[in-house]
Amino acid sequence: MQLTVWTYEGPPHVGAMRIATAMEGLHYVLHAPQGDTYADLLFTMIERRDRRPPVTYTTFQARDLGGDTAGLFQEACRAAYERFRPEAMIVGASCTAELIQDDPGGLATTLGLPIPVIPLELPSYQKKENWGASETFYRLVRALAQPRTAPRAPDARPSCNILGPTALGFRHRDDLAEITRLVTAMGIDINVVAPLGARPTDLVRLGDADFNIVLYPEIADAAARYLEKSFGQPAVRTIPIGVGATRDFIAEVAGLAGVPPLAGDAGSRLPWYSRSVDSTYLTGKRVFIFGDAPHAIAAARVATTELAFDLVGIGTYSREFAREVRTVAATHGIEALITDDYLEVEERIAALRPELILGTQMERHIAKRFGIPCAVISSPVHVQDFPARHSPQMGFEGANVLFDTWVHPLMMGLEEHLLHMFRGDFEFNDRSASHLGATASHPAPVAEAEATPPPAATTLAPALWDTGAEQELRKIPFFVRGKARRNTERFALERGISTITLDTLYDAKAHFGR
């Protein structure tokens, strides 16, 4: 175990909490010491949910370790059933309680509760949050799902299950709304959405659908494979993030459902902008991507094929999907970074020096230290990444959101760069007059040209530019290139430099940037 200040994923019992909190009529009894209730804040403070997670903690203390902690757990199970009357219950232990080996599953089955009780074995010292969510959902599906009760009528509309959205998921609520709209527009009924909003009784009906849509494979892939093996339900695994992937998703869904695919891009503005002259500023921007594997892989496709960015680095903390990320990295001729140590990510970013970072909340902090624009594409996230407005990542509207959140940091970075470059000009400094002119309440300040006397005239001949400096000058945007040339030549004249080299250009930039 490695001690660290920040972590990309919590322990696996937090993943189980995400499933329990997402569902209705399900209760989680967690054998945990006093203090582990901190996890509630992830949902009430970060996700801003209006109620606590449906979790009962045994909250044993140090003095309880010399007594009957097993009896304490059983009493917590009885009390939870009597108080909440859930349709089903999941039971397990946190990382600390795992050490005392009370066997919550075995203890709960001896109580004879009149509801399904599903034990969870979540090895806290080997696995983490996403695996815990996946294992919990898989155990629920395996325990509750039943095969189709009656053959499908020949004239019935095709139906599907949407699997994967959870509580505390990055834009899961909004993604679900967008994908539901797409699927129903194709004439396909949605049988069950799970875990988000589902009840244990809904999981019983999973077998009635013709196929499954796996929106978040880190959560639902194991359950979908079980349903495919047990009930013969095929699964759609294309993640509809970006215009191209959304088109592929629609084609895959239509193929399984036997319906015609939707035509058009439903008003997406990203393809239009990618073809416009304004987008040339974005072409070739060096981008580094890090996050959970499905979002990182999807982001790499959008960045390279739809925005013409140059992918210089990609990585994930999802070790279960390391092979898939390495495959994507290999297609771009780079090496994937598979780690859950944010310091390793920081080192890679420092070495690559990208112009844009697409990552998690952790990379946002790293980007601030390096002064690099950043957009969040994946968990872990903070409260600002759970907006009150509709803000999906998936579907055609999700492509619009991606465009806004990825491009705006670059544009704002350009604006700050220009303000810094022109800050010596009289019309850009704080003491200059507004373009509206002076008024009685806002008199015209002393102009920069008056406040600072112009440099003394020189009789030296204009400096010449060597080839290397001239080529470097061409890399500067055309609308500020003239000013950069004039400033550099002025710098050279004042110092008696007859030929401007790369060193002269950089020295002039440092001089005027002070």
Side-chain angles (χ1 to χ4, degrees):
M1 176 183 290
Q2 179 180 4
L3 296 179
T4 182
V5 177
W6 304 105
T7 180
Y8 285 100
E9 295 183 87
H13 73 262
V14 172
M17 286 181 65
R18 290 176 57 186
I19 302 299
T21 306
M23 294 182 63
E24 304 287 340
L26 177 69
H27 200 80
Y28 185 19
V29 178
L30 181 61
H31 201 23
Q34 189 178 42
D36 271 6
T37 53
Y38 77 89
D40 282 11
L41 296 177
L42 296 172
F43 302 91
T44 57
M45 185 180 76
I46 302 299
E47 193 180 15
R48 298 187 286 199
R49 294 184 74 87
D50 58 357
R51 59 187 183 276
R52 287 185 61 248
V55 180
T56 293
Y57 303 87
T58 56
T59 58
F60 59 82
Q61 302 179 50
R63 64 172 178 265
D64 297 319
L65 296 178
D68 186 10
T69 54
L72 186 66
F73 175 79
Q74 289 180 310
E75 181 57 34
C77 288
R78 292 191 194 94
Y81 174 73
E82 292 297 330
R83 179 179 177 185
F84 299 105
R85 295 289 176 172
E87 296 176 10
M89 185 181 290
I90 52 178
V91 297
S94 72
C95 47
T96 308
E98 185 181 333
L99 299 175
I100 60 179
Q101 300 180 340
D102 273 339
D103 186 20
L107 293 172
T109 55
T110 63
L111 297 177
L113 298 178
I115 57 171
V117 178
I118 296 98
L120 302 177
E121 294 184 9
L122 306 178
S124 300
Y125 299 97
Q126 290 84 36
K127 301 294 184 178
K128 294 194 174 182
E129 179 181 327
N130 280 341
W131 183 89
S134 173
E135 178 70 7
T136 301
F137 186 49
Y138 165 74
R139 292 295 171 185
L140 283 166
V141 169
R142 182 162 184 164
L144 300 175
Q146 299 294 323
R148 187 190 294 270
T149 55
R152 178 171 176 253
D155 58 345
R157 285 161 53 105
S159 67
C160 69
N161 301 315
I162 298 180
L163 307 179
T166 71
L168 203 65
F170 183 59
R171 308 291 171 84
H172 286 196
R173 174 199 64 187
D174 298 339
D175 287 348
L176 179 60
E178 190 67 20
I179 298 307
T180 297
R181 189 158 41 243
L182 278 178
V183 170
T184 54
M186 297 170 67
I188 301 170
D189 291 335
I190 296 176
N191 179 48
V192 172
V193 175
L196 191 62
R199 307 186 71 88
T201 50
D202 293 326
L203 298 187
V204 176
R205 300 187 293 106
L206 284 172
D208 293 341
D210 298 316
F211 62 95
N212 296 309
I213 294 175
V214 180
L215 284 189
Y216 305 101
E218 70 274 21
I219 306 295
D221 187 65
R225 292 185 186 279
Y226 169 78
L227 293 171
E228 187 169 10
K229 180 179 179 181
S230 301
F231 304 153
Q233 292 176 326
V236 174
R237 288 188 166 83
T238 300
I239 302 174
I241 296 180
V243 175
T246 300
R247 291 172 182 159
D248 294 345
F249 170 83
I250 290 173
E252 189 174 354
V253 170
L256 287 180
V259 299
L262 293 177
D265 295 338
S268 175
R269 295 178 60 81
L270 189 150
W272 166 84
Y273 190 88
S274 295
R275 293 190 297 267
S276 72
V277 66
D278 292 342
S279 69
T280 56
Y281 169 70
L282 305 175
T283 302
K285 289 295 184 184
R286 292 164 49 82
V287 62
F288 176 85
I289 297 174
F290 193 88
D292 70 54
H295 280 92
I297 292 170
R301 176 176 177 178
V302 175
T304 55
T305 65
E306 299 179 22
L307 291 173
F309 291 161
D310 182 12
L311 184 66
V312 298
I314 184 173
T316 183
Y317 56 82
S318 305
R319 296 185 181 275
E320 296 85 358
F321 295 88
R323 179 179 299 174
E324 290 85 344
V325 176
R326 287 194 176 101
T327 300
V328 172
T331 62
H332 294 276
I334 57 179
E335 181 182 358
L337 177 62
I338 312 298
T339 182
D340 57 4
D341 185 348
Y342 66 95
L343 294 176
E344 290 186 28
V345 179
E346 184 171 341
E347 289 177 2
R348 182 67 62 89
I349 291 173
L352 294 174
R353 285 293 174 180
E355 296 168 279
L356 175 67
I357 297 173
L358 303 176
T360 73
Q361 175 189 341
M362 316 273 260
E363 283 66 53
R364 180 161 53 196
H365 295 320
I366 295 170
K368 285 181 180 178
R369 287 197 292 276
F370 288 138
I372 302 173
C374 179
V376 173
I377 63 164
S378 159
S379 296
V381 294
H382 209 313
V383 62
Q384 70 190 81
D385 299 303
F386 288 97
R389 68 187 184 279
H390 181 63
S391 186
Q393 299 284 287
M394 294 185 177
F396 295 121
E397 184 58 29
N400 290 336
V401 173
L402 291 182
F403 171 76
D404 284 343
T405 54
W406 296 10
V407 170
H408 288 176
L410 287 171
M411 294 301 190
M412 293 304 295
L414 172 63
E415 180 178 322
E416 292 174 3
H417 173 71
L418 293 179
L419 289 174
H420 181 79
M421 179 175 289
F422 286 114
R423 68 179 181 176
D425 287 11
F426 72 90
E427 68 266 35
F428 277 95
N429 68 76
D430 294 337
R431 293 171 292 172
S432 66
S434 166
H435 68 285
L436 298 176
T439 64
S441 59
H442 295 83
V446 177
E448 182 76 9
E450 297 174 3
T452 305
T458 178
T459 58
L460 295 176
L464 300 176
W465 290 71
D466 72 5
T467 303
E470 191 74 46
Q471 290 176 347
E472 189 71 10
L473 182 68
R474 293 196 190 101
K475 298 178 182 179
I476 299 175
F478 69 93
F479 44 83
V480 292
R481 193 179 302 147
K483 182 176 179 63
R485 178 185 286 275
R486 291 192 299 272
N487 282 347
T488 305
E489 290 177 348
R490 172 182 158 192
F491 177 87
L493 286 171
E494 291 174 347
R495 286 154 181 79
I497 299 173
S498 58
T499 301
I500 295 174
T501 64
L502 271 176
D503 290 340
T504 311
L505 180 61
Y506 293 144
D507 289 342
K509 178 183 177 183
H511 172 76
F512 289 107
R514 287 198 296 267

